[in-house]
Amino acid sequence: MGLRRVTGLVKWFDPAKGYGFIRDDAGGTDILLHANVLRNFGRSSVADQSRVSALVQETARGLQAAEVLSIDPPVTDGQPPIADIDIEVIEHLDALPLRPARVKWFDKSKGFGFANIFGHPEDVFVHIEVIRHSGFADLSIGEAISVRIVEGPRGLMAAQIAPWDAALREAGKDECVEDAGEPKSEMTGLAQSFLVHVAE
């Protein structure tokens, strides 16, 4: 059977079960999203109500996603996921650099965990609401991710989570700009620093 492209919202995804379902925007039956297909995209989980574009195929057990093409986080009201992150940071989030990191540990039932930024000794606090705002449902110990970090009232914290290869793609774009001999635009105060103070 041939593949066709569909876009829809994640109805639910359970990392422990290893699968979930996408509700096709065009209607029809729900589409099975298996954890292996999601891992091929560089993710271990996806938050409910995330918008997914995928190639799907008809199987003996119904429609299944064969390849994830893109994932957009659930629509939010534009407010920070937690009070420790200032609204100004959220408005300029894309100006912060993505840093490659690895999950040290994360406990979904407790609602938080920590990650280690490569080349940086301090742990980075990761809150479950930041994960959900970023389109993830959970994080696994040792999982490679990318993070945009800020300095909050209790130390370093994640303001956004992205797939592990997002930092590589971002770094590659920067290198292409330099290789082309084009001058980089002046960075904002947010982008000039690895960290942003959001609270004293």
Side-chain angles (χ1 to χ4, degrees):
M1 286 283 187
L3 299 174
R4 66 182 177 90
R5 183 174 182 152
V6 302
T7 302
L9 294 179
V10 175
K11 189 174 182 180
W12 62 267
F13 185 85
D14 188 333
K17 290 181 178 178
Y19 67 91
F21 289 92
I22 302 167
R23 184 180 294 123
D24 189 347
D25 285 347
T29 60
D30 292 340
I31 301 156
L32 176 69
L33 175 60
H34 196 274
N36 288 337
V37 174
L38 200 54
R39 274 193 286 274
N40 288 340
F41 184 70
R43 300 274 290 265
S44 66
S45 69
V46 62
D48 296 352
Q49 299 304 304
S50 293
R51 181 160 296 284
V52 175
S53 178
L55 296 177
V56 302
Q57 61 187 356
E58 187 71 50
T59 71
R61 292 178 289 182
L63 282 177
Q64 293 187 15
E67 181 183 353
V68 173
L69 302 174
S70 67
I71 298 176
D72 292 320
V75 176
T76 66
D77 59 5
Q79 293 301 306
I82 55 176
D84 287 346
I85 300 177
D86 192 275
I87 188 69
E88 281 189 32
V89 172
I90 299 302
E91 290 172 352
H92 300 94
L93 206 52
D94 289 345
L96 291 174
L98 273 171
R99 301 294 182 183
R102 194 167 295 280
V103 178
K104 185 175 182 179
W105 66 269
F106 187 82
D107 189 324
K108 190 174 181 180
S109 63
K110 291 181 179 178
F112 70 92
F114 291 90
N116 298 124
I117 304 294
F118 291 116
H120 198 280
E122 294 180 59
D123 288 345
V124 176
F125 177 77
V126 182
H127 194 279
I128 193 162
E129 288 305 318
V130 171
I131 287 172
R132 288 182 183 141
H133 269 63
S134 301
F136 290 74
D138 201 352
L139 294 175
S140 305
I141 292 173
E143 183 175 353
I145 56 174
S146 298
V147 295
R148 299 188 197 275
I149 63 172
V150 296
E151 187 167 345
R154 291 178 293 278
L156 302 183
M157 60 188 297
Q160 185 181 49
I161 309 292
W164 68 271
D165 60 342
L168 297 175
R169 288 194 306 266
E170 187 174 272
K173 281 190 283 187
D174 290 344
E175 285 172 12
C176 288
V177 170
E178 287 178 326
D179 290 344
E182 298 172 12
K184 290 187 179 180
S185 60
E186 286 298 314
M187 290 190 291
T188 66
L190 286 173
Q192 287 173 347
S193 176
F194 183 85
L195 309 173
V196 175
H197 290 271
V198 294
E200 294 300 327

